[in-house]
């Protein structure tokens, strides 16, 4: 069969490769004129790296990654460790796939390199999707109409396809924003930092970890903006820059190591964190959503990219052996297998943000005690209960 995938981000590239593995031809439509180095760090848990192994990409991706031995949760003011969980070899042995820390561009490049060049249409803007009983079509800004047996809309959190399918529906500001930066390893070598650290404080949390084989420290400082600054903080952009020193004012009073990292980062990028309201379905006829267009979530459990990769795996599996006439039923199967899981992950991520940002006092002390008690009984993070699930081995009704 022939498919069109709209959007060449991580989800769109993974979908293209999964459909190729299922034996289908794909036209990948991307509005950018070229693939570039965008974004910063990304975490991939075993539920996602297992899929990369099936796509024969795990070795290439892992060669560019860092593999943390543990994750450490700490208090904001003095850096005291609340608890830690093991990752590294122990997690890989337990779940059958590694936990990797990557620069987003390295993952994107590995996925893009595996797509046949002739399948990619860069600098092509989709302006509409329509369909009938026999085919689906994408109209481009140049007036071209691309025809296929199905269309997969992986066009991100600002998805136009989602609105074409389901009506007006805008991304929702989560009331949180983040500063981000990448620092060379030698710039922070003198600081006593855990490999993967999560520092929790009132209305804020701070995350750092190594990427690109440990050559760069990825830094993400999440905060709840004051009401008068909310409109500016809500800007969703990979390239918007914060005012010099702004991050130091927002994290004033935090542990000296956090402030040292933020100071050495210099001028940081700032972006508003947005989500999408859960949908009751992701597909109509021969057209389906995938990744952030379907279920954009806050990044507080590091599962956004993983869920898109898992969408792609199930999409390819549902369409393996399908005929053009069977596409609507195959897309129904894809959505049944993924919607509930992704929606639950959205909700879990939102709850984690609330838990991370509790004010000092009884609630924060109770959270810390609860986390320490859980870690004393379990080697792995609470969300690790999902890491061992092979998304293609699960049994689902047809």
């Amino acid at each position: 069969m022939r498919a069109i995938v709209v959007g060449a981000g991580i989800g769109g590239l993974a979908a293209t490769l999964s459909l190729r593995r299922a034996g289908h031809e794909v036209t990948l439509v991307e509005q950018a004129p070229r693939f570039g180095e965008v974004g910063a760090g990304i975490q991939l848990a075993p539920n996602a790296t297992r899929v990369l192994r099936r796509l024969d990409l795990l070795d290439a991706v892992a060669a560019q990654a860092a593999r943390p031995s543990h994750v450490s949760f700490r208090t904001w003011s003095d850096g005291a460790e609340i608890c830690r969980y093991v990752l590294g070899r122990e997690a890989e042995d337990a779940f059958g796939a590694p936990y990797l820390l990557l620069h987003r561009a390295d993952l994107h490049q590995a996925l893009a390199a595996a797509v046949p060049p002739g399948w990619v249409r860069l600098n092509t803007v989709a302006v509409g999707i329509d369909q009938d009983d026999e085919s689906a079509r994408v109209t481009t800004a140049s007036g071209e109409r691309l025809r296929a047996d199905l269309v997969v809309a992986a066009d991100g959190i600002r998805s136009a396809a989602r609105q074409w399918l389901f009506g007006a529906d805008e991304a929702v500001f989560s009331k949180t924003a983040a500063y981000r930066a990448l620092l060379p390893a030698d710039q922070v070598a003198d600081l006593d930092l855990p490999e993967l650290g999560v520092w929790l404080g009132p209305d804020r949390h701070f995350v750092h970890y190594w990427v690109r084989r440990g050559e760069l420290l990825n830094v993400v400082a999440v905060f709840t903006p004051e009401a008068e600054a909310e409109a500016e903080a809500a800007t969703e952009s990979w390239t918007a820059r914060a005012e010099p020193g702004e991050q130091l004012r927002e994290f004033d009073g935090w542990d000296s190591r956090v402030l040292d990292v933020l100071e050495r980062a210099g001028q940081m990028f700032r972006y508003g964190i947005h989500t999408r309201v859960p949908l009751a379905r992701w597909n109509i006829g021969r057209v389906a959503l995938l990744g952030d267009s379907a279920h954009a979530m806050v990044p507080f459990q590091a599962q956004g990219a993983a869920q898109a990769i898992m969408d792609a795996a199930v999409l390819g599996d549902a369409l393996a052996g399908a005929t053009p006439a069977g596409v609507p039923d195959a897309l129904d199967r894809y959505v049944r297998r993924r919607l509930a899981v992704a929606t639950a992950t959205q909700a879990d991520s939102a709850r984690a943000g609330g838990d991370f940002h509790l004010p000092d006092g009884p609630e924060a002390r109770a959270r810390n005690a609860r986390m320490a008690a859980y870690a004393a009984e379990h080697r792995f993070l609470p969300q690790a209960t999902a890491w061992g699930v092979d998304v293609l081995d699960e049994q689902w009704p047809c």
Side-chain angles (χ1 to χ4, degrees):
M1 289 194 302
R2 292 170 299 147
I4 298 170
V5 175
V6 180
I10 289 170
L13 288 166
T16 299
L17 295 173
S18 291
L19 290 168
R20 184 190 187 201
R21 185 172 181 269
H24 306 309
E25 294 182 16
V26 182
T27 298
L28 178 58
V29 174
E30 168 56 42
Q31 64 181 353
R34 65 187 63 85
F35 292 141
E37 185 160 316
V38 296
I42 193 169
Q43 301 182 47
L44 289 183
N47 53 354
T49 57
R50 185 178 295 108
V51 174
L52 295 180
R53 177 184 289 131
R54 191 171 269 113
L55 293 173
D56 296 324
L57 289 175
L58 182 56
D59 288 346
V61 171
Q64 302 300 318
R67 299 185 185 225
S69 64
H70 67 277
V71 54
S72 174
F73 288 84
R74 300 186 173 221
T75 56
W76 70 278
S77 56
D78 60 5
E81 188 168 74
I82 300 167
C83 64
R84 69 168 53 196
Y85 298 96
V86 297
L87 295 169
R89 176 57 61 184
E90 287 189 60
E92 185 169 357
D93 290 344
F95 301 109
Y99 195 107
L100 301 179
L101 307 176
L102 292 146
H103 193 301
R104 181 179 289 268
D106 293 337
L107 173 60
H108 192 269
Q109 182 177 2
L111 292 167
V115 175
W119 287 18
V120 181
R121 295 275 304 263
L122 295 172
N123 204 27
T124 302
V125 179
V127 297
I129 296 174
D130 65 279
Q131 61 179 308
D132 55 32
D133 290 342
E134 296 183 351
S135 66
R137 294 164 294 275
V138 172
T139 302
T140 72
S142 66
E144 190 176 7
R145 284 168 64 81
L146 307 177
R147 180 187 177 102
D149 298 300
L150 70 144
V151 172
V152 179
D155 53 340
I157 191 169
R158 298 290 182 183
S159 172
R162 176 170 168 142
Q163 298 206 29
W164 299 333
L165 286 178
F166 300 110
D169 172 21
E170 299 293 339
V172 179
F173 180 49
S174 69
K175 305 297 185 182
T176 56
Y179 303 106
R180 66 173 179 86
L182 290 164
L183 285 77
D186 60 4
Q187 196 170 326
V188 292
D190 60 313
L191 301 179
D192 179 23
L193 298 173
E195 296 171 275
L196 170 50
V198 184
W199 309 60
L200 309 182
D203 293 324
R204 287 157 179 75
H205 72 278
F206 180 78
V207 182
H208 59 79
Y209 53 86
W210 299 104
V211 299
R212 198 161 282 171
R213 302 171 301 277
E215 297 169 8
L216 297 171
L217 184 72
N218 182 67
V219 176
V220 182
V222 179
F223 66 102
T224 303
E226 299 293 336
E228 60 272 17
E230 188 175 290
E232 183 180 9
T235 301
E236 190 220 345
S237 170
W238 283 113
T239 58
R241 292 184 179 272
E243 294 295 324
E246 181 182 329
Q247 73 274 17
L248 293 172
R249 294 190 294 273
E250 285 289 349
F251 284 79
D252 183 41
W254 279 55
D255 183 84
S256 61
R257 287 163 290 183
V258 171
L259 294 176
D260 283 341
V261 172
L262 291 175
E263 183 175 19
R264 295 177 192 187
Q267 188 177 45
M268 302 182 75
F269 294 100
R270 183 188 62 216
Y271 63 97
I273 299 172
H274 290 71
T275 64
R276 297 306 297 249
V277 174
L279 292 169
R281 61 182 306 180
W282 300 344
N283 65 307
I284 294 177
R286 296 175 173 275
V287 183
L289 304 178
L290 182 144
D292 280 354
S293 66
H295 50 68
M297 61 191 70
V298 293
F300 304 150
Q301 288 199 322
Q303 274 289 307
Q307 292 300 309
I309 291 169
M310 293 166 69
D311 288 351
V314 173
L315 175 74
D317 191 52
L319 285 157
T323 64
V327 165
D329 287 342
L331 293 181
D332 281 344
R333 290 195 295 273
Y334 151 66
V335 173
R336 284 202 302 270
R337 289 168 59 174
R338 287 296 303 147
L339 188 145
V341 173
T343 301
T345 305
Q346 274 185 299
D348 289 344
S349 296
R351 281 193 292 271
D355 210 33
F356 287 175
H357 292 186
L358 291 173
D360 281 342
E363 288 182 289
R365 289 194 295 271
R367 174 202 62 204
N368 294 351
R370 185 172 64 251
M371 292 175 67
Y374 187 92
E377 297 291 330
H378 302 84
R379 289 185 298 163
F380 305 113
L381 288 155
Q383 59 263 40
T385 53
W387 294 355
V389 175
D390 186 332
V391 73
L392 297 187
D393 283 349
E394 297 176 88
Q395 299 299 308
W396 299 89
C398 295

